[in-house]
Each structure stands twice: as structure tokens, then as C-alpha cells.
Amino acid sequence: MASNQRPSSSGSEGGDPHMDERKRKRMLSNRESARRSRMRKQKLLEDLTDEVSKLQGANKRLAQSIKVKEEAFIEMEAANDVLKAQTMELADRLRFLNSILEIAEEVSGLSVDIPQIPDPLLKPWHIPHPIHPILSGDAMFLQ
């Protein structure tokens, strides 16, 4: 540092030693302030890096959760399609059996009560049979 000394503007060669002391204290104060500023900046950088890491972990968990739910949805949709197909097949069988009953009624002359077959796909919210409660937990195994 001795090689970087510049002549003092206050004329330190014959100047006031009190001014040199003030200048030295100010220089030390500025260095300390700069050090604190660098430490705050470093702490902020570390905090932001930690937050990025936590958010990336949360993002990864959410992406995995979404993937699992999408796969479950696809499975449920496929199962629902199978049930719809089975419902249509059973409705066709019932129509066929009802047509046999109608023919038997015409041939024998006996009156047979033939119920109407509702189309479950036209009114999916209308359940043509009594509703049974859905059991969960321990109650499911007690029956």
C-alpha cells in the first residue's frame, strides 16, 4: 500500500495530525461498511439459492403428483368406458328378452308385465334402482 500513496489534499506533509486521524478513521469506517455490505449480499444470495432449491423440490413433487393423478384419471376413464359398454350390452340383452316376452305374450295370449328400459346414457344422473350407501373404512368389513 505504501506505493499507492498519493499526496494529501490537506497538505499532510506539514498539516494537521488530527485531520490525518479523521481521514484514517473514515477509511476504516468505509472498509467496514463495504465488508458488511458484501456480507449482506452474500447472505441474500445464499437465502435466494436455498429458496430456489426448495421451490424446485416442491415443483418436482407437484409434477410427480400431477402425473400420478393423470394416470389414475386415464385408468378410471378406461374403467368407465368398460362399464358404459357393459351397460349398453346388458340393455340390449334386456331388450332382446323383452321382445321374446312380447312374442310369448302374443302366442299364448297371457298378459305379461314388461317394464320399460330406461336409457342410462341419456340420463346418467337418474338411477333406476335404489341407492345403497357407499361404505368406507371399518364399516365396509363389518357386513
Side-chain angles (χ1 to χ4, degrees), residues 124-141:
W125 57 89
H126 174 60
I127 301 173
H129 50 79
I131 298 174
H132 297 290
I134 299 173
L135 301 176
S136 64
D138 296 337
M140 194 165 63
F141 301 107

Side-chain angles (χ1 to χ4, degrees), residues 76-91 119-121 124:
M76 286 300 217
E77 198 171 34
N80 192 28
D81 289 344
V82 168
L83 290 173
K84 283 179 184 177
Q86 288 174 344
T87 300
M88 294 304 293
E89 182 181 335
L90 290 173
D119 190 352
L121 297 179

